């Protein structure tokens, strides 16, 4: 398998408790299933809009009265890192990009793609959630992979899908994904999240289950930390020892939802870029009136 399974940071998986999923997660899943059903009913039948990069501007501090240029200002105020931001209005499909629009080594953010691809094959009757991979059934390995960002689970899931099938699935939903190097642009990641949330990729039950794993994860320090309590956030972060630090999220105010993807790579510290990602998330929320 590709080497990114070994060099991505990981922690040992916890054993599955006998009460999983607990009542809080069950309640959350039921709520999300209802939400996904509404998204199915109201989903728009149109394709994603054209990606257009925002113009570069000088650095400016964030303020309560933030301008539409604030996202670009933050990006271009950081000379130590490459940063790519993509924002998609999920209801309309309108997608805007800022900064670096080229593919990044996407780290663990593509665990969402692996999860979606596996669920898709389950719905096609080719795979099963009850299959035991390693020590646990796939249903638990998917939770470990997304919620705890476990790499052993990731490799087991990807092995079960197969590289060719993962790439073919990514292409079928309009993504330019390189499985060998695990690269994806921020824009393509936003498209994936947008289609997932809109119910275009999986049935309501599997959509709700995957979204539930993208809440209260093992790292809530980036986009979730910048999201006001009045908003709902689902996300998957990624971090590599080679310099990548990413967060990819869906942010909803109950009426409108946006896919917000922030990819970074460079030389500044994790704490510095964590702060930048939080600033960018705040700028997106203010600029797009989420």
């Amino acid at each position: 398998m590709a080497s990114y399974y070994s060099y991505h940071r990981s922690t040992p998986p916890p054993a599955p408790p006998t009460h999983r999923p607990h009542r809080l997660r069950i309640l959350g899943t039921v709520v999300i299933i209802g939400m996904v059903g509404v998204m199915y009913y109201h989903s728009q039948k149109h394709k994603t809009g054209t990606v257009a990069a925002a113009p570069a501007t000088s650095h400016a501090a964030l303020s309560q009265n933030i301008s539409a240029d604030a996202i670009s200002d933050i990006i271009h105020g950081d000379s130590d890192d490459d940063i790519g931001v993509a924002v998609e209005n999920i209801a309309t499909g309108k997608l805007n990009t800022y900064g670096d629009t080229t593919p990044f080594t996407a780290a663990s953010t593509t665990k969402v793609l692996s999860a979606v691809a596996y669920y898709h094959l389950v719905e096609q009757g080719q795979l099963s959630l009850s299959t035991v991979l390693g020590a646990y059934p796939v249903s638990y390995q998917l939770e470990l992979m997304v919620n705890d960002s476990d790499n052993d689970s990731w490799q087991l899931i990807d092995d079960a899908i197969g590289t060719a099938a993962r790439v073919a699935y990514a292409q079928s939903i309009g993504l330019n994904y390189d499985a060998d190097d695990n690269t994806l642009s921020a824009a393509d990641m936003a498209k994936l999240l947008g289609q997932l949330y809109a119910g275009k990729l999986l049935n309501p039950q599997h959509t709700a289950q995957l979204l539930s794993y993208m809440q209260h994860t093992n790292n809530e320090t980036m986009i979730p930390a910048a999201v006001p309590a009045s908003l709902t956030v689902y996300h998957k972060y990624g971090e590599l020892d080679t310099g990548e630090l990413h967060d990819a999220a869906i942010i909803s105010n109950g009426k409108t939802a946006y896919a917000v993807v922030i990819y970074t790579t460079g030389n500044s510290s994790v704490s510095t870029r964590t702060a930048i990602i939080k600033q960018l998330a705040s700028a997106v929320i203010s600029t797009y009136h989420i």
Side-chain angles (χ1 to χ4, degrees), residues 1-5 110 113 154 158 162-168 170 176-184:
M1 297 298 297
S3 62
Y4 53 82
Y5 296 111
T110 53
L113 175 60
W154 189 16
D158 277 0
T163 301
R166 273 188 296 123
V167 172
N176 182 19
Y177 171 61
D178 185 328
D180 291 333
D181 294 325
N182 191 34
T183 58
L184 198 67

Side-chain angles (χ1 to χ4, degrees), residues 82 99 141 145 274:
D82 293 324
Q141 294 288 12
M145 178 179 72
T274 295

